[in-house]
Amino acid sequence: MTDLSRPRSPRLRVGPVRASVPLVALLALPILSAPTGAQIHAQEIPISLDEARRQAAEAHPGVQAALSRAEGAAHHRDASRAYRFPTVGAELDALRTNDPVAAFGSRLRQGRFTEADFAPDRLNQPDALGDWSVGLGLNWSPLDATAAAGARAAEALALAAGQGAQWAIRAAAFGAEGRYLEAVGAEARLEAAEAAVEAAAENLRVTERRRDEGMVTEADVLQARAAVEDAGAREIQARQRISDTRARLGLALGWEPGRIPVPTDRVLDSDADTTAAASFPPLSDRPDLQASASRLDASESRVREARNARLPKVEGFARVGTHARAPFSSPETNWTVGLHIRLPVYTGGGIGHRVQAVDAEREALRREHEQRLREAQVEVDEARRALEFAGEALAAAAASAEASAEAARFMRRRFQEDLVTAADLVAVEARAAEAAARRVDAAVGHALAGARLRFLTDLNANHGALP
């Protein structure tokens, strides 16, 4: 077990809970222990840090939402590629009409046009007839520069969504790690608070004994008793913090209400190295920044898509069909094959304005991407400095806690020898309790700083992967 006073690899182990219940805790016990509807069905579930990271990476709602967006973007990408393949459709038409043009054409397609049908009376006022048509059509646009650019844009957006999902997984795992460390730190604070309660209770017993011996006054006993109550209040706050941090950890894990995670790893540690930046991949390889770059690529493809609207579009089509005057009667078959070329000549400025609009959007995305890169570098530098200073703060807090604890032990001996007053002892004990709490907070802060630096820089860490 590594001592907290060693700044290079600070650790904090939470020892066994000591039973010590002051008066204020006894008074508050009925309130704190009264089960609510949610607590009655609450289930405490032990969980390790690695398991917490994994579950958050799989079950956090933010991860699930990001994966759904990535799936949707992938379908959009596949749909945009459909222009490369022919489109085939079946048709069924049924009509009955006495319109001269429709009647003439339908009779001709049915193959039952006779010389008598050329009579003016029959041409101008034909009898009503029916036409049943079944057809199969095919359309294909092998040369469509606009659709090709749109497909490339959709592909870039799908890639961006996948990279965003990968970053969401890392972020969820990091969030769970932070909540886990806070929960472990809350247990360590409870240990420190219980130690302070035990020390205050021992001082009260000594003071009461010395009062009975006539060595101190009743005022000294009251001061000692007030110190016990004050320590008990801090213990109650520490217990509340444990409940709060565990609830936040459950939220980070994506658990349903009623399931309470209980950390099993009782060590606060940070192995991040502030000088190992050269071993980390470039920041541009980070999934969130890659997603930003992919969105910029998609925007550039949108610009090409808008410009390609000025180019001709070549479309081939074919149709084979049958016409009959009644269902299941002898049909006549006909077919059509053709080529269609479209070239926009004048669009009222629509194409030009669209090009300018998407080009402006591309420029905005470019500037935002460059800003993200700069912010990411600043963020990493801040995280590196934060870890360095957190290590120094932890070393100072550990030294202060050791010195304060030793001072409290020395002051207790002097009080027993009647060399100092009860007020002096209470003041020293209070400072020792505060120093122990600061040591825990410094250890939590250092562990969180290390986790954040790894999250921002160590892209090889296993924070979960896309399923």
Side-chain angles (χ1 to χ4, degrees):
M1 179 177 67
T2 305
D3 194 340
L4 274 172
S5 61
R6 299 176 62 182
R8 290 189 178 181
S9 181
R11 297 171 182 258
L12 174 62
R13 292 190 182 274
V14 182
V17 176
R18 291 182 288 272
S20 175
V21 183
L23 178 60
V24 66
L26 289 174
L27 293 175
L29 187 59
I31 299 176
L32 294 177
S33 62
T36 63
Q39 291 173 334
I40 291 176
H41 303 287
Q43 179 185 8
E44 292 188 349
I45 302 175
I47 186 171
S48 66
L49 178 56
D50 288 339
E51 182 67 13
R53 291 194 192 101
R54 186 188 65 80
Q55 290 198 20
E58 293 177 356
H60 193 278
V63 172
Q64 298 299 318
L67 291 175
S68 295
R69 283 192 291 269
E71 181 181 2
H75 288 305
H76 279 300
R77 175 202 60 205
D78 295 340
S80 69
R81 295 172 176 173
Y83 81 95
R84 303 172 181 174
F85 306 96
T87 300
V88 179
E91 304 171 2
L92 173 63
D93 296 316
L95 63 85
R96 187 168 181 80
T97 180
N98 66 352
D99 178 77
V101 176
F104 184 90
S106 296
R107 191 180 297 275
L108 187 62
R109 283 191 292 266
Q110 292 171 5
R112 57 192 187 98
F113 203 86
T114 64
E115 184 177 354
D117 292 321
F118 281 100
D121 293 345
R122 300 191 66 173
L123 288 174
N124 293 325
Q125 296 179 344
D127 296 331
L129 59 80
D131 183 60
W132 290 77
S133 173
V134 177
L136 192 65
L138 181 145
N139 290 274
W140 187 27
S141 301
L143 298 178
D144 190 342
T146 301
R152 287 193 293 270
E155 184 174 358
L157 289 176
L159 180 60
Q163 293 161 339
Q166 189 67 56
W167 184 250
I169 290 174
R170 288 177 55 83
F174 165 69
E177 181 177 2
R179 295 307 186 188
Y180 194 99
L181 295 174
E182 290 174 354
V184 175
E187 295 183 18
R189 280 197 68 114
L190 176 60
E191 179 186 353
E194 289 175 337
V197 168
E198 185 175 322
E202 178 62 24
N203 291 338
L204 177 59
R205 286 191 292 270
V206 173
T207 305
E208 289 176 338
R209 186 178 69 248
R210 292 178 62 79
R211 178 201 59 191
D212 296 340
E213 296 172 352
M215 303 299 295
V216 298
T217 65
E218 186 65 29
D220 295 320
V221 174
L222 292 175
Q223 281 187 325
R225 184 171 291 115
V228 171
E229 302 303 330
D230 183 62
R234 288 196 295 270
E235 181 183 1
I236 292 174
Q237 292 175 348
R239 293 185 183 278
Q240 177 186 353
R241 180 175 294 189
I242 286 179
S243 298
D244 292 343
T245 55
R246 289 181 178 179
R248 288 195 292 267
L249 175 58
L251 188 64
L253 295 175
W255 286 8
E256 296 294 330
R259 302 180 66 201
I260 302 175
V262 179
T264 57
D265 293 336
R266 310 294 291 274
V267 178
L268 290 174
D269 191 12
S270 176
D271 296 327
D273 187 356
T274 60
T275 64
S279 63
F280 293 134
L283 280 181
S284 57
D285 291 345
R286 233 170 57 180
D288 61 324
L289 299 178
Q290 286 184 328
S292 178
S294 295
R295 286 191 292 269
L296 180 58
D297 292 341
S299 180
E300 293 173 350
S301 295
R302 291 299 185 196
V303 173
R304 289 193 293 271
E305 179 185 14
R307 289 172 178 167
N308 290 348
R310 297 190 176 98
L311 301 178
K313 177 180 178 180
V314 179
E315 181 180 7
F317 59 92
R319 185 183 186 281
V320 59
T322 62
H323 291 269
R325 57 182 172 181
F328 309 110
S329 62
S330 299
E332 289 292 327
T333 303
N334 54 73
W335 56 268
T336 303
V337 176
L339 184 67
H340 186 69
I341 300 178
R342 286 186 294 177
L343 176 66
V345 177
Y346 177 71
T347 62
I351 294 178
H353 288 303
R354 174 166 171 75
V355 170
Q356 292 175 354
V358 294
D359 189 57
E361 293 174 1
R362 180 197 59 80
E363 179 63 18
L365 286 175
R366 184 188 65 81
R367 293 180 182 275
E368 290 173 351
H369 176 65
E370 293 176 351
Q371 181 65 16
R372 289 190 188 96
L373 292 175
R374 289 191 292 267
E375 290 175 349
Q377 186 59 59
V378 171
E379 191 177 29
V380 169
D381 293 340
E382 289 178 349
R384 191 173 288 113
R385 288 192 298 270
L387 178 60
E388 180 180 353
F389 290 128
E392 296 176 1
L394 176 55
S400 174
E402 292 294 337
S404 298
E406 183 62 27
R409 287 191 292 270
F410 180 71
M411 189 64 71
R412 279 194 292 272
R413 289 197 300 269
R414 290 177 62 85
F415 177 70
Q416 293 172 357
E417 297 170 359
D418 201 23
L419 298 177
V420 296
T421 66
D424 295 331
L425 177 60
V426 168
V428 172
E429 291 282 5
R431 286 195 295 271
E434 292 175 357
R438 286 196 299 271
R439 183 186 189 185
V440 174
D441 292 341
V444 174
H446 187 261
L448 288 173
R452 179 167 180 78
L453 182 58
R454 290 193 302 273
F455 166 66
L456 294 175
T457 56
D458 187 4
L459 304 184
N460 297 319
N462 183 19
H463 292 288
L466 285 172

